[in-house]
Amino acid sequence: MSAGDLYSLDVDEPTALTPMLSDGFEDWSKQVASTGFCSRPVRLFGQARTFDRRSGQHLSTFDSRNLPDSVLYVRCGNRRASRCPSCSHEYQGDMWHLLSAGVSGGDKGVPESVSTHPLVFLTLTAPSFGTVHSSTRPGAQPRPCTVNAAPGLCEHGRPRRCTEHHDADDSRVGQALCPDCYDYEGQAIWQWHCPELWRRFTIRLRRLVAAHLGMSEKASRDLLRVQFAKVGEYQKRGAIHLHALVRLDGAPSDDDPYPSPAVDVPASWLAERCLEAARDIEIDAAPVDAYDSARVLRFGRQVDARPVQRHSEDDGDVSPEMVSAYLAKYATKAAGDVAVDGTPNRHLKQLRETCLELCGRALLHEGFSSPYALLGKWADALGFRGHFASKSRRFSTTLGTLRDARRKYHRDREQLETHEDPSSADEPLDVAEHIVVLNEFRFVGQGWLTPGDAELARSAADAAREWKDARRTARQPHEKGKNHGQALLHR
Ligand SMILES: [Zn+2]
Ligand SMILES: [Zn+2]
Ligand SMILES: [Zn+2]
């Protein structure tokens, strides 16, 4: 089963609200809830047989034929909000835990002591590829669109600047003032090399940290290590921005995976090194073909690095809760959410087409040996082929660990309900330890069976999300820090 199969098997039979009319509505609703209100769950047909590992005894058989629709629904797990709001919401929650554990510790096996390590919130931007319409940041003083651009007309007869004021939802925001002047090729090629810029940035940062302490990089590794978590975000102009948390730790061991750095430096020192590294690096990008010339690629000038102060009430601080929450939100804003495919957004469409054109030119010129031969494959991601969210190994826990823990929790609860009475059992609560499940399932499709079912699942999902959000907000009383963070991130 390939990803292609998953997306080609869509629901298309227009039927009425079948579960409402059938006796199995309650069972069906349970299935909806068990998928976490996924909007496009995978449908599986088959059996799961449960055995006791110690005795070999067959305990039970779970058969999808006993379920409503005769299939088992499993959540799709897509992290893009445009594909599945529920699964993306869950991903965002996991991402929040992962980041928050790395920022404040005291969660998911990360000790609270990491909250004393120097931590920097870093934003690496793309450079300018031409003037685009821009909106005023929420909460900022309204200002004309492109006030710093030169007056007059460009060589294509279009105004070089725009004095209007645009709201954030104005469809012109992010569009080029002159598509003919705008360097679409430059942007596509920059996005293509962006993962390499990031990689070089991390190498350069480690070197600079060592050099500023007067050590070789090898010697510095015994005293400190740079850990990071990074998330990519598309701007309105389709350019990728990288937001990262950069933390200094000591050299980890099996006994202490998150030790404090052995050198006492403030977060502001680390922020300086981040800025320096971002300014230092560049890439010589090969030309696309014989008619093209080489380009020197760098990060944009609006690179920003701020210390995250975790034990202070100072107004100027970036709050740790805000940083984790916003990075987690960015992590779900993937290419799917800039809606390139079939979009009326001319600018993004042009960028996508440029990726395809460059790929074609590269193949004609050098075949598959060209560095741009695969650019077309990433046209929907506007040329960005990197991970939207990544981290160094020791930043904190992994998404996989979080998912396993949740799965285990649900499985244990289910098995306690079906097999054992916890009050009389002399086994540990961890019943899953000696239970073996043999799964024999076949993929039969994706999505709820009818449009009516899909609609019911969607409204249930909305209600569940509202409830969860209300609960989460009640647990995070950091409104002041949050607002400040919002202003900071929209700069
Ligand atoms: Zn889903
Ligand atoms: Zn404008
Ligand atoms: Zn022009």
Short mmCIF file of all heavy atoms in Angstrom, two decimals, residues 154-156 158 178 180-181, ligand 3:
data_model
loop_
_atom_site.label_atom_id
_atom_site.label_comp_id
_atom_site.label_asym_id
_atom_site.label_seq_id
_atom_site.Cartn_x
_atom_site.Cartn_y
_atom_site.Cartn_z
N CYS A 154 8.56 50.43 -12.83
CA CYS A 154 9.61 49.48 -13.21
C CYS A 154 9.68 49.41 -14.73
O CYS A 154 8.86 50.00 -15.42
CB CYS A 154 9.35 48.11 -12.60
SG CYS A 154 8.00 47.21 -13.39
N GLU A 155 10.62 48.64 -15.24
CA GLU A 155 10.79 48.56 -16.70
C GLU A 155 9.59 47.93 -17.40
O GLU A 155 9.46 48.00 -18.61
CB GLU A 155 12.06 47.77 -17.04
CG GLU A 155 12.03 46.35 -16.50
CD GLU A 155 13.31 45.58 -16.82
OE1 GLU A 155 13.54 45.32 -18.01
OE2 GLU A 155 14.05 45.24 -15.87
N HIS A 156 8.69 47.29 -16.60
CA HIS A 156 7.48 46.69 -17.19
C HIS A 156 6.28 47.64 -17.07
O HIS A 156 5.15 47.24 -17.31
CB HIS A 156 7.18 45.35 -16.52
CG HIS A 156 8.37 44.45 -16.47
ND1 HIS A 156 9.16 44.32 -15.35
CD2 HIS A 156 8.94 43.66 -17.42
CE1 HIS A 156 10.16 43.48 -15.59
NE2 HIS A 156 10.05 43.08 -16.85
N ARG A 158 5.07 48.99 -14.29
CA ARG A 158 4.25 48.84 -13.07
C ARG A 158 4.87 49.65 -11.93
O ARG A 158 6.09 49.82 -11.88
CB ARG A 158 4.20 47.37 -12.65
CG ARG A 158 3.53 46.48 -13.70
CD ARG A 158 3.33 45.08 -13.17
NE ARG A 158 2.70 44.23 -14.17
CZ ARG A 158 3.38 43.33 -14.91
NH1 ARG A 158 4.67 43.14 -14.73
NH2 ARG A 158 2.74 42.60 -15.80
N CYS A 178 5.44 43.42 -9.13
CA CYS A 178 5.60 43.13 -10.55
C CYS A 178 6.11 41.70 -10.69
O CYS A 178 7.27 41.42 -10.38
CB CYS A 178 6.58 44.10 -11.21
SG CYS A 178 6.89 43.62 -12.93
N ASP A 180 7.00 40.21 -13.21
CA ASP A 180 8.11 40.12 -14.18
C ASP A 180 9.44 40.52 -13.56
O ASP A 180 10.50 40.07 -13.99
CB ASP A 180 7.82 40.97 -15.42
CG ASP A 180 6.63 40.43 -16.19
OD1 ASP A 180 6.61 39.20 -16.43
OD2 ASP A 180 5.72 41.21 -16.51
N CYS A 181 9.39 41.42 -12.56
CA CYS A 181 10.62 41.79 -11.87
C CYS A 181 11.01 40.76 -10.80
O CYS A 181 12.17 40.61 -10.46
CB CYS A 181 10.44 43.14 -11.16
SG CYS A 181 10.51 44.56 -12.26
ZN ZN B 3 8.67 44.94 -13.44
#
